[in-house]
Amino acid sequence: MWINRKSVAAVAVAGSLTIAGCSAERGGAPAGQPAGAQTLTIWAPAGTEGDFVRKVVEKWNAGHETKFVAQDLPAATASEDGIAAAVAAKSTPELFIGASTAQSPSLAESGGVLNLSKEFPDAESFVTQRSGQAILDNYRAADGSLYVVPWRTNPVMVFHNKALLKKAGLDAEKPPATYSEYLAAFKALKVAGIAPIAQSIDQTWWHRNFDWYPTYLAAAKHGLLSEKVDASAFNEQAGVESMTFWREVFAKGYNARSSAGLDDTNPFNQGKSAFYFSGPWNIPSMTGPVAKQAGVGTVPVPDAKATGPVTTYGDIKHVVIFATAKNKSASWEFVKFYLNAENDAAFLSEMKQIPLRTTLADDVGEAFFKDNPLLVPFVEQTGSVLDLDLSTKTIDVLTTLSTAYQSAAIYGRQPVAEALKQAADQVDQLVGK
């Protein structure tokens, strides 16, 4: 099993962040490429993130003989299973921007991605100089090598609509912090005829990263597995209390037991619900009336006591170079180009997502944060986040827990303690106890 001895990665970026008060076509060879020149393919995220990658590719192509073309992740591979199938079939391109921590161990163990420490003498020093020693150490494999380049983090926090809180008689400048305070606020909102919260109930494992898992991390301060990732660690008070909070949310009708419309039209972004657990990527999606007229605030996720810094899920993504790369050296040079200070600053500005760069605040300047106040809490939160467990079984673990969440929290079909005990027994078998 490919594991990291530190099974959950803490992001030590915010400690150094001091904050005061024509893209290319989606496929095909780059325009103007000389006949016979090499064209290398990048898999990029869909949507605006992919457009950003294409703009960087355009800049690279203007100054380099080896050209790249960025393609949206093909539909057949737009999941961890699809990517794994492509690795097995050796149909992967040069590199992938956006690999999840959940899948990274499996990609390394299968030989699907390059051992960067062995292939490139400056790989580890590049990661250290950009993101810090802690990031490098936390993403080493059990063999001591680095297989991913940590790229960005999107801490999960809680947005709230200030106008809706005021309408329900709540203090919009003093939003709730504990489970009991949230439940009381949700009750007041429901009485006022306002939808308190609208999180997805989709059972797919990764949805739990944006509802229960952040609240679990806030309570537990550690991941779902033991330090050696060979046993479950969630069947404890923190697991029970955090899932019981969500059980109350659904049982009292504060969050609908239906995901109808949530994927296409997010109620919070349309001003139709008061709270929303999400990351900074959601900022551009909020409509003008919500973000500017109603007013939006951001606070840490709740826990039982809300004392001291609150830990949350960091939603960290990576860049990997596939073993099928035709030009390893050019691919590595592009990775360094994509993650340089200029492009990191542009990514923060355009995507409202946070590159893992220790000099980020200085690079964008104080004026940027004055113009983008909603980003400030997220950047500050980067100093207290945890990632997923670095195990080849992480997706299976989260799938098991998502089933428990659906049964105990969403539908209340069994007691939380019973559901977590059953999940822990299954996970212990999965990870080898």
Side-chain angles (χ1 to χ4, degrees), residues 4-5 35 52 69 71 76 96 110 124 165 196 200 222 234 264 292 330 351 371 417:
N4 187 303
R5 293 176 181 83
F52 180 86
V69 57
Q71 297 179 347
F96 173 34
S110 68
E124 294 190 6
L165 266 62
S200 174
H222 62 71
F234 54 80
D264 298 327
K292 297 179 181 179
M351 298 291 103
D371 292 338

Side-chain angles (χ1 to χ4, degrees), residues 31-347:
Q33 180 179 332
Q38 190 176 38
T39 301
L40 306 174
T41 301
I42 298 168
W43 277 350
T48 56
E49 285 187 57
D51 293 336
F52 180 86
V53 174
R54 278 179 276 277
K55 288 198 289 186
V56 176
V57 165
E58 188 176 7
K59 289 194 296 182
W60 164 276
N61 288 345
H64 297 81
E65 182 176 349
T66 300
K67 310 298 182 184
F68 283 88
V69 57
Q71 297 179 347
D72 287 352
L73 197 62
T77 58
S79 69
E80 281 72 11
D81 287 343
I83 293 171
V87 167
K90 299 187 184 303
S91 59
T92 46
E94 294 293 303
L95 56 97
F96 173 34
I97 297 172
S100 70
T101 298
Q103 187 175 33
S104 297
S106 296
L107 290 175
E109 186 179 77
S110 68
V113 296
L114 294 183
N115 182 327
L116 304 177
S117 299
K118 289 185 176 180
E119 291 285 348
F120 310 112
D122 62 337
E124 294 190 6
S125 61
F126 172 77
V127 172
T128 302
Q129 290 168 10
R130 177 176 179 264
S131 305
Q133 187 68 39
I135 294 294
L136 173 67
D137 291 341
N138 277 302
Y139 287 100
R140 288 185 186 277
D143 64 6
S145 296
L146 187 69
Y147 291 82
V148 301
V149 180
W151 165 36
R152 57 85 170 154
T153 178
N154 284 325
V156 174
M157 301 186 75
V158 187
F159 289 105
H160 56 277
N161 183 311
K162 294 183 179 182
L164 293 183
L165 266 62
K166 291 177 183 177
K167 187 176 179 180
L170 300 169
D171 187 347
E173 301 306 321
K174 191 179 179 182
T178 64
Y179 300 147
S180 59
E181 290 173 357
Y182 266 89
L183 292 172
F186 289 171
K187 180 178 181 180
L189 287 160
K190 185 179 180 182
V191 168
I194 300 167
I197 187 169
Q199 301 295 137
S200 174
I201 64 165
D202 191 310
Q203 192 178 343
T204 308
W205 65 271
W206 58 263
H207 282 280
R208 301 294 74 80
N209 293 338
F210 306 105
D211 44 46
W212 173 69
Y213 187 53
T215 57
Y216 165 78
L217 291 177
K221 304 294 191 292
H222 62 71
L224 299 171
L225 301 177
S226 63
E227 185 175 356
K228 294 183 179 180
V229 296
D230 61 353
S232 63
F234 54 80
N235 187 24
E236 59 178 11
Q237 183 177 354
V240 173
E241 288 183 348
S242 55
M243 193 170 287
T244 298
F245 164 72
W246 286 102
R247 181 188 179 98
E248 289 293 302
V249 168
F250 286 102
K252 295 180 178 178
Y254 301 147
N255 196 114
R257 288 171 169 156
S258 169
S259 289
L262 289 184
D263 293 331
D264 298 327
T265 306
N266 183 293
F268 181 86
N269 291 348
Q270 302 301 316
K272 297 178 181 178
S273 65
F275 289 91
Y276 184 49
F277 283 60
S278 189
W281 70 85
N282 188 59
I283 293 173
S285 300
M286 292 185 289
T287 61
V290 174
K292 297 179 181 179
Q293 297 174 25
V296 171
T298 309
V299 292
V301 299
D303 65 9
K305 299 178 181 178
T307 57
V310 177
T311 302
T312 190
Y313 171 54
D315 188 26
I316 295 164
K317 292 295 193 296
H318 312 272
V319 180
V320 296
I321 300 177
F322 287 113
T324 52
K326 299 181 182 67
N327 190 328
K328 297 176 183 178
S329 61
S331 294
W332 175 239
E333 291 304 314
F334 178 84
V335 170
K336 292 189 290 184
F337 179 82
Y338 183 77
L339 300 178
N340 67 27
E342 178 183 349
N343 290 326
D344 277 348
F347 186 76

